[in-house]
Amino acid sequence: MSKFLLFSALWWLVGNPFLALIILLAIIYVLDRQFVGVFPSVTRPIRRMRSISLLRQQLTLNHHDISAKRDLARLLLERKKYSEAYSLLKEMEPLSEDSAEYWDDLGTAALGLGQVEEAEVHMLRALKLNERVRYGQPYLKLAAVYQNRNAEKSIYYAEKFSLIHSSSSEAYYLLGNVYQSLNRKAEARSAYTESISIYRSLPKYKKRQERGWALRSWFKRQKL
């Protein structure tokens, strides 16, 4: 009702229902980004593209800058530019053998290219180096990729993740998705509940970062 009244007031002020709707949506978006965090940032892709451009320029001047290559590869993974990210990561392999994050990134790139078996090898290597790397999310990635290929493997990786203590609402939201896709509703509900519980226990400065995942978990749980 409050949104309808606000829309009516805006319509009366600007004299155009379409403009009033655009203003209302802009207000909702700004409030969400400030206090909730469900909607994606419209500026993040722009900032990411700018960073990618700067890093490419940096590598043109110094192709051996490992730090720049690592940062560029991760940004390319976010953009789903898996082929370019994979090539960059392979260049860094001799200097990254002891980095769990590196092997997880390489595995993610391989997954994006459809090279599932190779991705599994890289991610398991990451987990061997550090089982808690990125809150154990390599386990979740493997569980997700195998959910329609090999149910037993998918469950195995999902349950391995559940043994790792995590303070990430996002991670448990993803775990719930894996269980839900396998029609294991009780485990899915438990994972979504854990996601919400973790959010409630977080300090204020962390809640904004995790709020969107907790809300998604709440909506998913309601549908089970």
Side-chain angles (χ1 to χ4, degrees):
M1 179 64 71
S2 59
K3 291 185 182 66
F4 178 76
L5 291 174
L6 179 57
F7 173 71
S8 299
L10 288 169
W11 187 353
W12 179 79
L13 284 170
V14 301
N16 186 308
F18 298 107
L19 182 57
L21 180 59
I22 292 171
I23 294 172
L24 177 61
L25 292 175
I27 292 171
I28 292 172
Y29 175 80
V30 170
L31 290 174
D32 172 83
R33 293 302 302 166
Q34 185 68 31
F35 301 108
V36 182
V38 173
F39 297 147
S41 169
V42 295
T43 60
R44 178 168 173 74
I46 298 171
R47 295 197 306 269
R48 183 169 55 206
M49 286 298 296
R50 185 171 182 274
S51 296
I52 287 173
S53 178
L54 290 172
L55 287 166
R56 281 177 172 155
Q57 291 176 22
Q58 191 171 333
L59 286 172
T60 299
L61 297 173
N62 180 9
H63 187 68
H64 301 290
D65 188 333
I66 295 298
S67 178
K69 284 185 180 181
R70 184 181 297 114
D71 292 341
L72 178 55
R74 287 175 182 168
L75 289 172
L76 290 170
L77 288 175
E78 288 183 17
R79 288 203 65 216
K80 304 187 188 306
K81 299 289 186 179
Y82 298 115
S83 181
E84 187 178 354
Y86 183 86
S87 297
L88 276 173
L89 289 163
K90 290 297 286 184
E91 290 177 15
M92 294 186 285
E93 185 171 341
L95 300 173
S96 307
E97 292 186 352
D98 296 327
S99 170
E101 289 81 5
Y102 167 80
W103 292 109
D104 178 45
D105 286 340
L106 187 60
T108 300
L111 268 186
L113 295 172
Q115 298 161 194
V116 175
E117 291 182 0
E118 180 187 346
E120 185 175 21
V121 169
H122 296 325
M123 289 184 177
L124 290 178
R125 184 165 180 175
L127 291 162
K128 184 176 181 180
L129 287 167
N130 178 9
E131 193 173 32
R132 297 176 183 272
V133 61
R134 290 175 179 157
Y135 304 106
Q137 287 205 24
Y139 281 131
L140 286 181
K141 294 174 189 174
L142 291 171
V145 77
Y146 276 114
Q147 64 188 27
N148 295 320
R149 297 167 180 259
N150 185 323
E152 289 184 4
K153 264 194 174 185
S154 183
I155 293 168
Y156 169 78
Y157 285 129
E159 290 181 343
K160 285 287 287 184
F161 169 79
S162 69
L163 296 175
I164 299 174
H165 173 72
S166 173
S167 58
S168 168
S169 291
E170 177 187 3
Y172 276 93
Y173 168 80
L174 295 172
L175 179 60
N177 278 349
V178 171
Y179 282 134
Q180 191 172 356
S181 71
L182 297 171
N183 203 33
R184 295 178 59 161
K185 293 184 178 180
E187 289 94 333
R189 177 180 290 275
S190 177
Y192 293 138
T193 299
E194 184 66 17
S195 173
I196 297 165
S197 297
I198 286 171
Y199 166 75
R200 288 172 176 165
S201 68
L202 291 173
K204 287 184 179 180
Y205 76 93
K206 284 283 290 179
K207 280 189 173 181
R208 187 179 183 280
Q209 179 182 340
E210 298 284 342
R211 188 175 292 126
W213 299 109
L215 285 171
R216 291 181 181 93
S217 296
W218 185 84
F219 283 118
K220 286 272 192 174
R221 191 178 65 175
Q222 296 301 108
K223 295 178 181 179
L224 287 175

